[in-house]
C-alpha cells in the first residue's frame, strides 16, 4: 500500500492573548508533536475524550488551523509549505465532514447549490456538467434528485449528513477528514450513515481520518486506531489488535468504560479517578500519570515516547516492554 | 414491590401547540414504579421520553404544552391536579430531578454552597450553619475531591463531571423517594460517565431510592436499571425486565434498536444492521401502528389498527400485532 498522508511532528499551540487587564497566558498545546502515516484508501480512527486535541489535529492537517510546527505531506507534497493557488489546488484532494451538518450548510442555499459550490470554486466542468454531477452525487449518498431544490431545514439530521457527504465527495478527494460525523444522530440513523461511509471507502478508495469519541463507532469504520490524550498519541494499532489487546492503561480504561449490554464487561470495569487535567497546565512526565492506576515514579518525571512494541503497534508508556 | 406502587402514571397525554395544530408528544402513557425500583425510559429523539419525565414533576412549560389527559400519582396523590403551592413542597423533596446539562441547571452567579443550602434550608428547615455542614457531607458522599474548597466555587470553576456530581448531591439533599434523571451522563466523556453512573448506582442502592432514568443509550440502561420501557412516537411499545428485554426483545422496534446500536464486538461487521426509513412526524402519524412503515414484520392489520399495550403473565408488556 502506498502512503497517502504523512504527518511529521505536527503541533498546534493556541495562545490566549494578553489584554489591558490580563497577562498573556501559557500556550495550550492542543496537538503536541504527533506523527503518523496513512495509506491510500485506509481509515485511521482517531479516538479520545473532549479536549484531547483530536479535532484540532484533523483541522491542522487540512490547514484549517495553521500548524505551529511540523509538516504534513500529502501525495508526496509538503502541504504545510504551500500557499495561494498551490494550496487551493491541493485542497481539492482533502475534504472535511463536520459533526453538525446543519451548522455547516448555508441555510439560504439549496441542496444543489451547496453540493455545486466546491465545483464552482475549483472551476470544474460546465454548468450543465455540474448539474449532472449533483444528481450523480445525490444518488451516491442515497438521496432522490427531487431534493436538489430544497433547503437544509427541510431535512432530518441523517439526510443533512448525507448532503454534507455528497458535498465532500464532489471533488473526488483522496482524503476525507470526518469529524464526529454521526455523533449528533439517533442510533437507527447513525448506523445508516456509518454503512454509507464504509461503502464509499471500499468502493472509491478514499482514505478517511475518522474522528470520534465513540469506541464502538471507531471499531466499525477503522483499519488502524490511534488513541489521543492531552494532545499526544498514547497508542496506535491495527483496529482488531487494539480492541483484542489494548496495551496502554488509558486505552484499557477507555474500552472498559463503554456501557455495553454485556454483563461480562461490567465485571472488568476500570473506573478512573479524577478528571482530565487542563491542557494549559499539563502534568509533568506522562500526561496520564495522575489518573493512571499503574503509575510509578518514572512516570511522574519522564515523558514516555511513542515507540513500536509489536508489528504495527506503538505505545507511549514506560511500563510496556 | 408493595401492593400500591410508589408512582402510578395512567393515560398521560401531553399536547403541544404547533404550526400543524396540536400534536401529542406523549399519547396515553401508563406505567408504574415501585419503591426502590430502577426503571429506564429509552427511545430516540422526539419519542416523548423527556416530556414524560418532565410531566412527573408537572414541569412541562405551558403554553405551548398542555396536559390533555391522564394522571400522575405519587403515593396516591395526583400531582397533575395539585395546585402549584402543593407541588413546590413535593419537588426537590419526595421527587427530585437531574438534568443532562448541569451548567444550565446550576445558577452561574451563586456558589455551590448557596445553591445547595437553599434547598436544605427551604425543605429541611435547617439553620445557616447546619445547612452548610449538611451540604459538605453531601458533597463528600458523592465523591467530590476537596469538598470544602468546592463549596465556595462557582459552577464554571468545576469540571463537567464535578458539576453533575453537585447536581446529584443537590437532588439527594432531601432524601427523595424517586429520582428522575434525564440523560444525566450524555454530555460527559466515557471515563467520566463511568464515574458518575457508578455514583448514581451506589446512591440509589444505599438510599433505597426509586429512579427513572431517561436516556437514548441502551448500554447505560442495561448497566443501571432493573426494568426498561421503550417509547416510540409518544407511546410505549415495550416494557420488560432489562435482562429479558436485551436477550429476547418482543417488539420489532426494540429489536432494531438493539441491533443497530453500535457496540464493541469481537469481530468487526461488514454492514451494521439498520432500521430503514425514519421516525414519522407527530402531525403526520400513519393510521394503525406508528412503526408499521419501518417494520419488517408489518402486515395489513398493522396499517389499519393501532396495537394496544398488552400485559403478559410475568408483567412485561408489548404493543404489537405480531410480537416475537
Amino acid at each position: 500500500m502506498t502512503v497517502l498522508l504523512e504527518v511529521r511532528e505536527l503541533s498546534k499551540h493556541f495562545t490566549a492573548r494578553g489584554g489591558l487587564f490580563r497577562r498573556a497566558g501559557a500556550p495550550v498545546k492542543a496537538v503536541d508533536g504527533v506523527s503518523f502515516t496513512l495509506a491510500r484508501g485506509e481509515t485511521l480512527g482517531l479516538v479520545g475524550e473532549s479536549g484531547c486535541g483530536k479535532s484540532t489535529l484533523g483541522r491542522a492537517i487540512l490547514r484549517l488551523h495553521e500548524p505551529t510546527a511540523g509538516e504534513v505531506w500529502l501525495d508526496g507534497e509538503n502541504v504545510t509549505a504551500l500557499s495561494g493557488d498551490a494550496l487551493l489546488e491541493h485542497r481539492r484532494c482533502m475534504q472535511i465532514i463536520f459533526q453538525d451538518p446543519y451548522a455547516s450548510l448555508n441555510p439560504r442555499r439549496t441542496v444543489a447549490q451547496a453540493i455545486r459550490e466546491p465545483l464552482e470554486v475549483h472551476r470544474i466542468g460546465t454548468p450543465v456538467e455540474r448539474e449532472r454531477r449533483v444528481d450523480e452525487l445525490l444518488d451516491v449518498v442515497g438521496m432522490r434528485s427531487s431534493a436538489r431544490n430544497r433547503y437544509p431545514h427541510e431535512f432530518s439530521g441523517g439526510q443533512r449528513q448525507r448532503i454534507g457527504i455528497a458535498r465532500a465527495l464532489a471533488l473526488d478527494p483522496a482524503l476525507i477528514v470526518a469529524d464526529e460525523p454521526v455523533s449528533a444522530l439517533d442510533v437507527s440513523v447513525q448506523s445508516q450513515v456509518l454503512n454509507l461511509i464504509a461503502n464509499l471507502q471500499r468502493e472509491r478508495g478514499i482514505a478517511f481520518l475518522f474522528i470520534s469519541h465513540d469506541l464502538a463507532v471507531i471499531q466499525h469504520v477503522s483499519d488502524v486506531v490511534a488513541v489521543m490524550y492531552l494532545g499526544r498519541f498514547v497508542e496506535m494499532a491495527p483496529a482488531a489488535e487494539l480492541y483484542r489487546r489494548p496495551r496502554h492503561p488509558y486505552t484499557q480504561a477507555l474500552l472498559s468504560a463503554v456501557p455495553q449490554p454485556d454483563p461480562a464487561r461490567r465485571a472488568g470495569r476500570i473506573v478512573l479517578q479524577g478528571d482530565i487535567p487542563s491542557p494549559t497546565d499539563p502534568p509533568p512526565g506522562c500526561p496520564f500519570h495522575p489518573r493512571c492506576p499503574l503509575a510509578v515514579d518514572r512516570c511522574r518525571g519522564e515523558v514516555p515516547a511513542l515507540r513500536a512494541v509489536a508489528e504495527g503497534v506503538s505505545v507511549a508508556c514506560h511500563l510496556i516492554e | 414491590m408493595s401492593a400500591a406502587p410508589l408512582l402510578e402514571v395512567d393515560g398521560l397525554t401531553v399536547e403541544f401547540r404547533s404550526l400543524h395544530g396540536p400534536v401529542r408528544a406523549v399519547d396515553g402513557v401508563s406505567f408504574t414504579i415501585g419503591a426502590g425500583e430502577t426503571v429506564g425510559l429509552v427511545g430516540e429523539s422526539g419519542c416523548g421520553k423527556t416530556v414524560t419525565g418532565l410531566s412527573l414533576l408537572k414541569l412541562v412549560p405551558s403554553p405551548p404544552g398542555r396536559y390533555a389527559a391522564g394522571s400522575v400519582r405519587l403515593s396516591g396523590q395526583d400531582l397533575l391536579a395539585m395546585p402549584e403551592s402543593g407541588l413546590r413542597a413535593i419537588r426537590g423533596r419526595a421527587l427530585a430531578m437531574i438534568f443532562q446539562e448541569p451548567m444550565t441547571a446550576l445558577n452561574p452567579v451563586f456558589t455551590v454552597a448557596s445553591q445547595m443550602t437553599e434547598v436544605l434550608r427551604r425543605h429541611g428547615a435547617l439553620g445557616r450553619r447546619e445547612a452548610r455542614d449538611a451540604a459538605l457531607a453531601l458533597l463528600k458522599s458523592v465523591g467530590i475531591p476537596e469538598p470544602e474548597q468546592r463549596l465556595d466555587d462557582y459552577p464554571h470553576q468545576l469540571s463537567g463531571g464535578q458539576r453533575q456530581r453537585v447536581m446529584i448531591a443537590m437532588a439527594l439533599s432531601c432524601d427523595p423517594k424517586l429520582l428522575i434523571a434525564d440523560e444525566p451522563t450524555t454530555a460527559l466523556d466515557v471515563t467520566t460517565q463511568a464515574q458518575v453512573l457508578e455514583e448514581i448506582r451506589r446512591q440509589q442502592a444505599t438510599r433505597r431510592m426509586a429512579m427513572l432514568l431517561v436516556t437514548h443509550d441502551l448500554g447505560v440502561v442495561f448497566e443501571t436499571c432493573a426494568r426498561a420501557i421503550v417509547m416510540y412516537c409518544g407511546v410505549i411499545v415495550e416494557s420488560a425486565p432489562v435482562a429479558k428485554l436485551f436477550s429476547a426483545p418482543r417488539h420489532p422496534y426494540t429489536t432494531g434498536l438493539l441491533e443497530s446500536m453500535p457496540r464493541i464486538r469481537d469481530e468487526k461487521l461488514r454492514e451494521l444492521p439498520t432500521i430503514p426509513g425514519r421516525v414519522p412526524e407527530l402531525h403526520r402519524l400513519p393510521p394503525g401502528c406508528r412503526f408499521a412503515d419501518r417494520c419488517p414484520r408489518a402486515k395489513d392489520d398493522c396499517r389499519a389498527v393501532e396495537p394496544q399495550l398488552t400485559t403478559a403473565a410475568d408483567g412485561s408488556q408489548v404493543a404489537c400485532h405480531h410480537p416475537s
Side-chain angles (χ1 to χ4, degrees):
Chain A
M1 284 232 247
T2 56
V3 171
L4 172 72
L5 174 73
E6 187 177 355
V7 174
R8 296 180 190 161
E9 290 294 319
L10 194 69
S11 292
K12 174 66 195 175
H13 300 173
F14 293 99
T15 321
R17 234 184 315 158
L20 188 54
F21 298 111
R22 205 206 293 233
R23 262 180 298 162
V28 175
K29 294 179 178 173
V31 176
D32 198 13
V34 167
S35 303
F36 68 91
T37 59
L38 179 60
R40 203 169 277 285
E42 203 179 55
T43 298
L44 174 70
L46 191 55
V47 69
E49 298 181 281
S50 34
C52 73
K54 54 190 190 301
S55 290
T56 307
L57 175 58
R59 280 156 208 232
I61 288 169
L62 298 178
R63 284 188 65 187
L64 295 175
H65 286 318
E66 210 47 58
T68 310
E71 289 172 1
V72 176
W73 291 71
L74 186 78
D75 237 349
E77 188 144 18
N78 185 355
V79 181
T80 25
L82 298 176
S83 63
D85 285 349
L87 178 61
L88 182 65
E89 183 57 28
H90 226 79
R91 283 224 163 109
R92 278 181 65 173
C93 317
M94 0 185 242
Q95 294 293 316
I96 186 164
I97 305 171
F98 296 97
Q99 169 169 0
D100 180 355
Y102 198 53
S104 59
L105 292 170
N106 186 331
R108 302 181 63 172
R109 290 181 159 230
T110 63
V111 169
Q113 284 173 328
I115 298 175
R116 206 167 55 206
E117 192 183 14
L119 298 169
E120 290 165 350
V121 169
H122 289 276
R123 301 204 180 85
I124 294 167
T126 63
V128 178
E129 284 167 348
R130 286 176 195 158
E131 292 311 311
R132 210 180 303 137
R133 182 87 173 121
V134 169
D135 286 337
E136 195 185 300
L137 287 164
L138 282 173
D139 184 53
V140 168
V141 298
M143 291 185 71
R144 291 192 202 104
S145 56
S146 59
R148 48 180 307 137
N149 295 321
R150 293 163 65 192
Y151 290 88
H153 76 265
E154 299 177 61
F155 296 93
S156 67
Q159 287 175 309
R160 285 202 284 258
Q161 200 52 285
R162 287 174 195 269
I163 298 166
I165 294 171
R167 183 177 149 105
L169 291 173
L171 297 170
D172 267 324
L175 171 71
I176 292 181
V177 173
D179 190 356
E180 301 270 12
V182 297
S183 306
L185 307 177
D186 271 319
V187 191
S188 69
V189 182
Q190 197 177 42
S191 47
Q192 294 172 3
V193 174
L194 283 175
N195 283 340
L196 172 66
I197 290 177
N199 284 336
L200 287 173
Q201 198 240 15
R202 271 196 296 268
E203 286 164 15
R204 305 189 160 226
I206 301 169
F208 274 84
L209 181 65
F210 193 102
I211 300 168
S212 177
H213 69 285
D214 188 327
L215 281 151
V217 166
I218 287 281
Q219 182 190 29
H220 183 66
V221 295
S222 306
D223 300 302
V224 180
V225 178
V227 181
M228 254 183 119
Y229 191 80
L230 280 181
R232 296 159 178 271
F233 280 11
V234 296
E235 181 163 359
M236 182 153 134
E241 180 71 13
L242 187 107
Y243 285 86
R244 198 179 312 124
R245 193 179 159 199
R247 288 174 166 88
H248 196 284
Y250 178 61
T251 314
Q252 292 171 353
L254 205 56
L255 267 174
S256 86
V258 180
Q260 294 276 312
D262 176 0
R265 275 187 189 275
R266 194 190 327 186
R269 164 134 322 153
I270 306 164
V271 176
L272 291 176
Q273 300 300 311
D275 293 319
I276 302 176
S278 156
T280 45
D281 184 22
C286 172
F288 185 58
H289 87 254
R291 302 175 79 197
C292 182
L294 309 174
V296 296
D297 276 349
R298 188 179 174 201
C299 307
R300 290 179 252 278
E302 192 183 326
V303 181
L306 189 71
R307 60 204 164 80
V309 295
E311 180 68 35
V313 182
S314 311
V315 185
C317 178
H318 292 310
L319 302 174
I320 291 160
E321 293 310 318
Chain B
M1 214 195 290
S2 59
L6 174 67
L7 180 85
E8 245 181 312
V9 177
D10 188 23
L12 178 70
T13 302
V14 185
E15 276 184 2
F16 282 87
R17 283 208 304 249
S18 81
L19 288 176
H20 311 280
V23 293
R24 290 187 165 177
V26 177
D27 195 0
V29 160
S30 304
F31 62 94
T32 61
I33 300 179
E37 197 186 11
T38 50
V39 177
L41 187 59
V42 283
E44 299 180 281
S45 18
C47 73
K49 58 187 190 300
T50 292
V51 173
T52 302
L54 288 173
S55 300
L56 305 189
L57 288 97
K58 206 178 174 186
L59 281 176
V60 173
S62 166
R66 188 173 78 87
Y67 297 97
S71 63
V72 173
R73 290 177 190 279
L74 183 75
S75 311
Q77 270 184 303
D78 187 355
L79 303 183
L80 297 185
M82 199 178 274
E84 193 62 19
S85 58
L87 285 167
R88 272 201 293 271
I90 287 177
R91 288 185 196 135
R93 198 175 210 170
L95 265 179
M97 182 148 189
I98 45 185
F99 298 90
Q100 170 170 356
E101 186 26 84
M103 199 56 202
T104 50
L106 291 169
N107 192 327
V109 300
F110 291 104
T111 62
V112 168
S114 72
Q115 299 188 52
M116 289 188 73
T117 52
E118 185 191 350
V119 187
L120 290 161
R121 294 185 67 189
R122 168 167 296 203
H123 286 312
L126 299 180
R128 198 179 295 271
R129 190 69 244 170
E130 293 161 307
R132 193 178 161 95
D133 290 344
L136 183 63
L138 280 164
L139 284 188
K140 268 188 197 145
S141 81
V142 296
I144 288 199
E146 300 166 345
E148 288 89 352
Q149 282 90 309
R150 295 293 84 78
L151 270 181
D152 297 313
D153 277 351
Y154 289 88
H156 75 268
Q157 293 171 291
L158 307 174
S159 70
Q162 285 178 349
R163 273 180 221 141
Q164 201 54 288
R165 282 176 196 265
V166 169
M167 283 302 299
I168 294 170
M170 284 172 71
L172 296 176
S173 55
C174 292
D175 261 320
K177 293 191 194 112
L178 173 64
L179 177 69
I180 299 159
D182 188 357
E183 304 270 12
T185 57
T186 305
L188 304 176
D189 280 314
V190 263
T191 58
T192 317
Q193 167 170 283
Q195 295 169 348
V196 171
L197 284 179
E198 191 77 26
E199 193 58 51
I200 292 178
R201 263 198 299 270
R202 204 169 63 85
Q203 296 290 345
Q204 190 274 328
T206 51
R207 290 166 186 263
R208 300 262 314 122
M209 166 181 76
M211 180 165 73
L212 181 71
L213 181 73
V214 180
T215 180
H216 71 286
D217 191 328
L218 292 159
V220 168
V221 168
F222 181 81
E223 295 200 347
T224 319
C225 301
R227 187 157 59 91
I229 298 171
V230 183
M231 283 187 77
Y232 185 76
C233 281
V235 296
I236 294 177
V237 294
E238 184 163 5
S239 159
V242 160
K244 187 179 166 198
L245 189 90
F246 281 79
S247 60
R250 301 197 64 207
H251 197 285
Y253 177 62
T254 315
T255 309
L257 260 192
L258 280 171
E259 282 178 352
S260 58
M261 163 189 174
R263 61 171 91 172
I264 295 167
R265 298 166 205 262
D266 293 336
E267 285 299 320
K268 182 170 152 179
L269 300 178
R270 194 175 161 83
E271 188 100 329
L272 278 178
T274 64
I275 302 176
R278 59 185 171 120
V279 181
E281 287 160 290
L282 286 174
H283 65 276
R284 267 196 297 224
L285 289 175
C289 176
R290 297 168 193 221
F291 187 60
D293 287 346
R294 308 176 72 190
C295 182
R297 271 184 243 152
K299 300 195 175 56
D300 287 347
D301 52 344
C302 304
R303 294 186 187 91
V305 184
E306 182 160 14
Q308 299 302 308
L309 202 61
T310 53
T311 309
D314 67 349
S316 59
Q317 298 176 306
V318 65
C320 179
H321 293 308
H322 309 281
S324 45

